[in-house]
Amino acid sequence: MSQPIHTDVLVIGSGAAGVGTALKAAAQGHSVIIIEKDQYLGGTSAICGGWGWVPGNKGGTDDTRAEAKEYIKALALDSYDEDMVDVFLDAVPEAMQFYEDEGVQMVYGAMSPDYQMDAPGAKEKGRAVTFKRADARILGEDRLRVQPYLMPYTVYGYMPEIGPDIAKMLKANQSIPNFLYATKNVLTTWAQTALFKRAYTRTNGNALMTWMFAAARKAGIRMWTNTEATELITNDSGVVTGARITGEHTGVVEARLGVVLASGGFSNNPELRKQFFEHDPNGDDHFTPTIGHDGDAYLMAKELGGYMDDSVHQPASWGPVTTFQTLVKKKPAIFPHLRAFGLPGLIAVDRDGVRFANESLSYHDYGVEMINNDADREKTFGWIIADAKAMHKYGIGYAKPWPFPKQIFEAEKFLIEAPTIEELAKKIGVPAGTLRKTVDEFNVHAARGEDPVFKRGSLKYHNFKGDMEHKPNPNLEPLDKGPYFAVKIQMGDLGTYAGLKVNDRSEVVKPDGSAIPGLYAVGTAAVSVFGGGYPGYGANIGPAMVFGYLTGRDIAAHAAERTAGN
């Protein structure tokens, strides 16, 4: 039998929560091993938008703790946990300063309206931080080990940053300077990919994780890919002392201070979705772009008495998605609609051809409405509808605007086209008369920049999702020029909110409230601090980084308590 592998801290999962834990533990002088079952490092954190919602950061000058708590409470509803919210808010300044000191480069104060600007305590900016684009050469030989972008979300390989960059990229067909800007970015990406296998410039979540991995390399943290934890190991006192691993590294890891579960949620596990997602009772009505969210953390902790806290009013951070078949790789792909149908000239309807919600809501809140609208019907789905003007100017998500040939997106079964509203309705199987009536009624008010039914375009966040240069309303424009287009939307997520029940030290607990000593859960492996609400940009990344930091900071002190107690 091979000898055990020794470390102070074992972290299972290589996203922001896991690496955050590892960085702080290493800064305390502890040895750390991160294991990742995927071939790449970074998980879902590496493909996300690259924001962290952290109220109380030093860029939030026009904010107070009382307002932040008021806002979180309004979104959490009956799932509000004041103690956990206090722990989170207390640690934000300390945690963010630590990451900056470790070399994680942040941008403070960028315009990032809270997702529910009509809720008490909401703010237009300052609560979300983003991360500067990174040059992957700082990773040396690990440059190619970072999880690649979600390719349908790129512009031919180039991943635009949220903000001025994406605004220019999306309007490449509207001005010569924007066209030249987009062309330069795409051609640079192609050239570097051809010469060096991947482009050097990393943006969004890839930038965040590039900075974090560079810090981890500097700290001497071992990061093992293609390595999976299969079982947690305890001693005679019930303390978690390590894990059994398999893959490129096989054997037993003995962790002197404890094991941290940071392997994501469970939205990629059909059996767990059956239990916890009401809209997916058969495990076949949900399509997630997340990476590695297979429920591993829950399944391992369950064997030791851990349990799923599903008391949050929404079990996941929802996001409507479209599934399609790529022409190049001939395999299924998923596109999350995080912005698309808040733009002028696009609406969304259900299978009856009726609008059922404000298309400028956050993707999470729109997902809630979508699930509720189809609660008594088989399957959860709807349709984005656009006219030729909108398709030419904005496209529909993955289906890029002119001059990109729309025939590609039609061949991939992403986009459906018809010369009239009635013929489009026939192609997508909705009542033609109803869809015609829906569009006509919408158009009358949209021409005046109004939406009396759902108040679309009435809040700063709505406008931020739209075209800020469009008048009279950044979110509204009649659909009145053929041909017309449709894209099917189904339910997906950006990570789960239900998760392992933890205490205010991130220790996994049993139903009787007692902690499983030496076992922690952070990130989406643990229940969300926001209670099922989605407050703003980076609502998963922010808590992941903060609670990861706290766990790394305190894990040795907790171990010392156990030793003293014995």
Side-chain angles (χ1 to χ4, degrees):
M1 181 178 292
S2 60
Q3 292 295 311
I5 304 160
H6 295 281
T7 188
D8 292 329
V9 179
L10 173 64
V11 177
I12 301 172
S14 65
V19 181
T21 303
L23 286 175
K24 185 56 179 176
Q28 306 282 89
H30 309 307
S31 60
V32 185
I33 296 174
I34 297 173
I35 64 169
E36 168 60 59
K37 72 177 183 180
D38 196 84
Q39 64 177 313
Y40 297 110
L41 295 165
T44 303
S45 297
I47 65 168
C48 75
W51 291 75
W53 198 79
V54 281
N57 69 78
K58 65 184 182 184
T61 55
D62 183 29
D63 198 4
T64 67
R65 183 189 182 90
E67 288 173 313
K69 289 184 69 172
E70 182 182 33
Y71 179 65
I72 294 170
K73 185 174 183 179
L75 272 60
L77 306 176
D78 292 339
S79 305
Y80 182 64
D81 185 336
E82 186 169 17
D83 290 341
M84 289 297 287
V85 170
D86 280 335
V87 171
F88 170 65
L89 294 176
D90 284 345
V92 164
E94 180 184 333
M96 293 299 103
Q97 187 59 56
F98 167 76
Y99 289 118
E100 277 203 297
D101 292 343
E102 292 295 301
V104 179
Q105 297 191 22
M106 303 183 192
V107 178
Y108 292 98
M111 179 59 71
S112 52
D114 286 337
Y115 283 0
Q116 293 195 18
M117 284 299 299
D118 53 347
K123 292 291 179 182
E124 289 184 24
K125 64 178 181 178
R127 287 177 173 166
V129 302
T130 187
F131 304 90
K132 292 182 181 179
R133 58 175 56 200
D135 187 323
R137 283 174 287 191
I138 63 176
L139 294 181
E141 61 186 11
D142 287 332
R143 179 178 67 85
L144 299 177
R145 297 182 70 201
V146 182
Q147 185 72 237
Y149 298 124
L150 185 66
M151 288 309 295
Y153 230 70
T154 69
V155 179
Y156 287 106
Y158 176 74
M159 176 61 78
E161 292 177 287
I162 296 173
D165 184 40
I166 195 171
K168 290 180 181 179
M169 293 295 295
L170 291 176
K171 295 182 178 181
N173 62 354
Q174 297 175 39
S175 75
I176 292 177
N178 285 349
F179 176 78
L180 294 176
Y181 178 85
T183 300
K184 178 183 177 182
N185 285 332
V186 171
L187 291 181
T188 299
T189 298
W190 287 359
Q192 291 183 354
T193 301
L195 292 171
F196 312 114
K197 297 186 179 179
R198 275 190 72 187
Y200 291 143
T201 299
R202 305 290 169 85
T203 60
N204 301 345
N206 239 249
L208 163 63
M209 296 314 301
T210 294
W211 293 121
M212 294 190 83
F213 291 136
R217 280 169 55 90
K218 185 176 179 181
I221 295 169
R222 288 171 282 180
M223 298 181 286
W224 296 346
T225 50
N226 292 308
T227 303
E228 182 176 1
T230 59
E231 180 187 4
L232 296 171
I233 296 171
T234 61
N235 64 17
D236 294 340
S237 300
V239 178
V240 175
T241 58
R244 197 173 304 279
I245 63 173
T246 187
E248 285 189 8
H249 299 268
T250 299
V252 171
V253 176
E254 292 186 351
R256 182 177 65 88
L257 300 178
V259 174
V260 182
L261 301 173
S263 54
F266 60 87
S267 55
N268 226 351
N269 186 315
E271 292 304 314
L272 293 178
R273 292 203 309 265
K274 289 180 188 179
Q275 295 179 49
F276 300 108
F277 287 6
E278 289 187 7
H279 71 278
D280 194 19
N282 300 315
D284 62 355
D285 192 28
H286 191 88
F287 307 88
T288 183
T290 60
I291 295 170
H293 287 226
D294 301 320
D296 295 351
Y298 167 70
L299 295 172
M300 284 191 289
K302 182 182 177 184
E303 296 300 312
L304 303 180
Y307 71 100
M308 184 77 75
D309 183 352
D310 62 342
S311 63
V312 291
H313 63 83
Q314 297 297 326
S317 51
W318 306 123
V321 302
T322 297
T323 61
F324 61 102
Q325 188 88 11
T326 62
L327 286 181
V328 177
K329 295 187 177 180
K330 302 291 184 183
K331 67 180 200 177
I334 296 176
F335 181 86
H337 291 278
L338 306 186
R339 180 175 185 262
F341 50 111
L343 289 164
L346 291 86
I347 63 172
V349 300
D350 63 12
R351 72 195 73 195
D352 297 322
V354 176
R355 289 177 72 213
F356 56 90
N358 178 345
E359 296 92 341
S360 292
L361 292 173
S362 76
Y363 34 88
H364 172 71
D365 293 319
Y366 195 86
V368 172
E369 297 295 333
M370 193 168 160
I371 290 170
N372 290 341
N373 187 64
D374 283 346
D376 298 324
R377 303 195 270 198
E378 185 179 357
K379 304 296 182 185
T380 304
F381 69 92
W383 299 91
I384 300 174
I385 308 295
D387 73 347
K389 302 192 308 295
M391 186 65 211
H392 179 88
K393 191 172 184 179
Y394 307 112
I396 308 177
Y398 169 70
K400 303 300 186 290
W402 179 89
F404 297 103
K406 59 182 183 294
Q407 291 79 8
I408 294 176
F409 311 113
E410 292 169 358
E412 292 179 325
K413 308 301 182 185
F414 182 93
L415 187 68
I416 298 171
E417 177 182 356
T420 67
I421 286 290
E422 289 75 13
E423 290 176 82
L424 184 69
K426 184 177 179 180
K427 281 191 173 184
I428 64 177
V430 307
T434 305
L435 184 59
R436 177 80 267 173
K437 181 181 178 183
T438 295
V439 171
D440 288 345
E441 290 179 351
F442 175 83
N443 286 350
V444 170
H445 301 290
R448 299 194 294 265
E450 301 170 355
D451 178 19
V453 180
F454 295 111
K455 310 300 181 185
R456 174 173 163 183
S458 61
L459 299 175
K460 290 281 188 179
Y461 173 69
H462 300 171
N463 299 159
F464 194 66
K465 282 186 67 179
D467 180 352
M468 298 290 279
E469 297 177 2
H470 180 78
K471 307 297 181 184
N473 189 310
N475 303 100
L476 297 169
E477 170 77 10
L479 286 70
D480 55 13
K481 182 180 180 182
Y484 295 87
F485 301 87
V487 170
K488 187 175 184 179
I489 50 175
Q490 296 168 279
M491 193 43 55
D493 71 286
L494 304 183
T496 44
Y497 274 171
L500 285 166
K501 178 65 175 178
V502 294
N503 60 21
D504 60 7
R505 306 192 329 176
S506 292
E507 295 171 308
V508 178
V509 300
K510 301 177 183 179
D512 64 4
S514 64
I516 301 173
L519 184 64
Y520 302 81
V522 291
T524 50
V527 64
S528 172
V529 67
F530 299 135
Y534 202 117
Y537 291 92
N540 289 329
I541 293 295
M545 295 180 72
V546 170
F547 285 107
Y549 165 83
L550 288 173
T551 301
R553 185 193 71 180
D554 299 335
I555 193 168
H558 300 163
E561 288 177 10
R562 292 193 297 271
T563 302
N566 291 331

